[in-house]
Amino acid sequence: MLYIRYESATPNEGGRHAGIFGLANGLARSGALSPTDWAWWRESNDWLTAAYIDPGTVDPSIFDRGVHPHISCWFKESATHLLDRIPGYLAILDRHGVAWAERRSLDPGTILYEDADQVVVAPHAVVPEGER
Protein backbone atom coordinates (compact mmCIF):
# COMPACT_ATOMS: atom_id res chain seq x y z
CA MET A 1 0.00 0.00 0.00
CA LEU A 2 1.26 3.46 -0.89
CA TYR A 3 0.69 6.28 1.61
CA ILE A 4 0.69 9.98 0.73
CA ARG A 5 1.29 13.03 2.92
CA TYR A 6 1.37 16.74 2.13
CA GLU A 7 3.27 18.85 4.62
CA SER A 8 5.37 21.96 5.16
CA ALA A 9 8.61 21.91 3.20
CA THR A 10 10.57 22.89 6.29
CA PRO A 11 10.08 21.91 9.92
CA ASN A 12 8.58 24.29 12.46
CA GLU A 13 10.38 25.44 15.60
CA GLY A 14 9.46 22.13 17.24
CA GLY A 15 11.16 20.20 14.44
CA ARG A 16 7.86 18.93 12.99
CA HIS A 17 6.52 19.27 9.47
CA ALA A 18 2.98 20.62 9.75
CA GLY A 19 0.38 19.03 7.50
CA ILE A 20 -1.22 21.16 4.82
CA PHE A 21 -4.55 21.29 6.64
CA GLY A 22 -2.83 22.83 9.64
CA LEU A 23 -1.01 25.27 7.37
CA ALA A 24 -4.23 26.33 5.64
CA ASN A 25 -6.06 26.55 8.97
CA GLY A 26 -3.32 28.87 10.23
CA LEU A 27 -3.76 31.15 7.23
CA ALA A 28 -7.53 31.21 7.80
CA ARG A 29 -7.20 31.94 11.54
CA SER A 30 -4.77 34.78 10.85
CA GLY A 31 -7.21 36.47 8.45
CA ALA A 32 -4.84 36.09 5.49
CA LEU A 33 -7.33 34.40 3.14
CA SER A 34 -9.34 36.34 0.60
CA PRO A 35 -13.12 36.02 0.93
CA THR A 36 -13.11 33.55 -1.99
CA ASP A 37 -10.31 31.43 -0.51
CA TRP A 38 -11.90 31.56 2.94
CA ALA A 39 -15.24 30.35 1.55
CA TRP A 40 -13.53 27.48 -0.32
CA TRP A 41 -11.43 26.58 2.74
CA ARG A 42 -14.47 26.59 5.06
CA GLU A 43 -16.58 24.47 2.68
CA SER A 44 -13.73 22.03 2.05
CA ASN A 45 -12.90 21.64 5.74
CA ASP A 46 -16.57 20.99 6.49
CA TRP A 47 -16.79 18.48 3.62
CA LEU A 48 -13.67 16.64 4.79
CA THR A 49 -14.90 16.59 8.39
CA ALA A 50 -18.07 14.87 7.18
CA ALA A 51 -16.25 12.58 4.72
CA TYR A 52 -13.75 10.83 6.97
CA ILE A 53 -13.06 9.92 10.55
CA ASP A 54 -11.09 12.19 12.86
CA PRO A 55 -8.70 9.74 14.57
CA GLY A 56 -8.83 11.89 17.71
CA THR A 57 -12.50 10.99 18.17
CA VAL A 58 -11.59 7.28 18.15
CA ASP A 59 -8.49 7.61 20.33
CA PRO A 60 -8.32 10.91 22.25
CA SER A 61 -4.63 10.30 23.07
CA ILE A 62 -3.54 9.94 19.44
CA PHE A 63 -2.73 13.67 19.01
CA ASP A 64 -1.42 14.14 22.57
CA ARG A 65 2.23 15.18 22.03
CA GLY A 66 3.04 13.89 25.52
CA VAL A 67 1.95 10.41 24.49
CA HIS A 68 2.88 10.48 20.79
CA PRO A 69 5.38 13.32 20.25
CA HIS A 70 6.21 12.69 16.58
CA ILE A 71 3.14 11.40 14.79
CA SER A 72 1.99 12.19 11.27
CA CYS A 73 -1.13 11.44 9.25
CA TRP A 74 -0.99 9.87 5.82
CA PHE A 75 -3.71 9.21 3.26
CA LYS A 76 -3.96 5.82 1.65
CA GLU A 77 -3.55 6.09 -2.12
CA SER A 78 -7.00 4.54 -2.47
CA ALA A 79 -8.64 7.54 -0.74
CA THR A 80 -9.06 9.36 -4.06
CA HIS A 81 -12.32 10.99 -2.96
CA LEU A 82 -10.30 12.80 -0.28
CA LEU A 83 -7.13 13.34 -2.29
CA ASP A 84 -9.21 15.11 -4.95
CA ARG A 85 -9.54 18.06 -2.52
CA ILE A 86 -5.79 18.46 -1.99
CA PRO A 87 -5.03 20.65 -5.06
CA GLY A 88 -7.29 23.41 -3.70
CA TYR A 89 -5.36 23.49 -0.42
CA LEU A 90 -2.05 23.49 -2.29
CA ALA A 91 -3.22 26.39 -4.47
CA ILE A 92 -4.06 28.44 -1.36
CA LEU A 93 -0.64 27.70 0.12
CA ASP A 94 1.04 28.62 -3.17
CA ARG A 95 -0.83 31.95 -3.32
CA HIS A 96 0.50 32.78 0.14
CA GLY A 97 4.07 31.65 -0.49
CA VAL A 98 3.83 28.72 1.94
CA ALA A 99 6.24 26.03 0.77
CA TRP A 100 4.93 22.47 0.90
CA ALA A 101 6.17 19.01 -0.01
CA GLU A 102 4.49 15.81 -1.13
CA ARG A 103 5.79 12.62 0.45
CA ARG A 104 5.01 9.08 -0.64
CA SER A 105 5.97 5.96 1.25
CA LEU A 106 5.25 2.27 1.38
CA ASP A 107 6.25 2.31 5.06
CA PRO A 108 5.80 5.74 6.72
CA GLY A 109 6.18 4.42 10.28
CA THR A 110 4.59 2.34 12.99
CA ILE A 111 0.84 2.49 12.50
CA LEU A 112 -0.94 3.76 15.62
CA TYR A 113 -4.34 4.25 13.97
CA GLU A 114 -5.82 3.04 10.69
CA ASP A 115 -9.13 3.29 8.90
CA ALA A 116 -10.24 2.87 5.29
CA ASP A 117 -8.73 6.21 4.20
CA GLN A 118 -5.75 7.02 6.39
CA VAL A 119 -3.13 6.03 8.91
CA VAL A 120 -1.58 7.87 11.82
CA VAL A 121 2.00 6.78 12.34
CA ALA A 122 4.96 7.19 14.63
CA PRO A 123 7.90 7.57 12.27
CA HIS A 124 10.65 4.99 12.33
CA ALA A 125 13.64 6.03 14.40
CA VAL A 126 16.29 7.82 12.39
CA VAL A 127 19.79 6.56 13.04
CA PRO A 128 22.33 9.42 12.96
CA GLU A 129 24.90 9.14 10.15
CA GLY A 130 27.83 8.41 12.49
CA GLU A 131 25.97 5.58 14.31
CA ARG A 132 25.20 3.35 11.31
Side-chain angles (χ1 to χ4, degrees), residues 8 11 14 17 26-27 60 64 74 77 90 92 95 100-101 119 128 130 132:
S8 60
H17 290 267
L27 289 171
D64 181 336
W74 296 68
E77 69 178 327
L90 300 179
I92 287 173
R95 282 194 286 282
W100 55 271
V119 294
R132 293 184 191 176

Side-chain angles (χ1 to χ4, degrees), residues 20-21 24 33 37 40-41 44 82-96 100:
I20 63 163
F21 300 128
L33 299 183
D37 280 349
W40 183 90
W41 164 83
S44 291
L82 303 176
L83 291 166
D84 287 347
R85 293 273 171 156
I86 298 300
Y89 285 91
L90 300 179
I92 287 173
L93 296 178
D94 287 346
R95 282 194 286 282
H96 290 273
W100 55 271

Side-chain angles (χ1 to χ4, degrees), residues 5-24 65 72-73 90 93-94 97-103:
R5 177 172 168 78
Y6 296 88
E7 64 185 14
S8 60
T10 57
N12 62 21
E13 57 279 350
R16 296 180 197 91
H17 290 267
I20 63 163
F21 300 128
L23 295 171
R65 295 284 182 196
S72 58
C73 302
L90 300 179
L93 296 178
D94 287 346
V98 178
W100 55 271
E102 176 183 337
R103 295 179 57 202

Side-chain angles (χ1 to χ4, degrees), residues 54-69:
D54 174 353
T57 62
V58 176
D59 177 358
S61 74
I62 199 81
F63 295 119
D64 181 336
R65 295 284 182 196
V67 177
H68 304 290

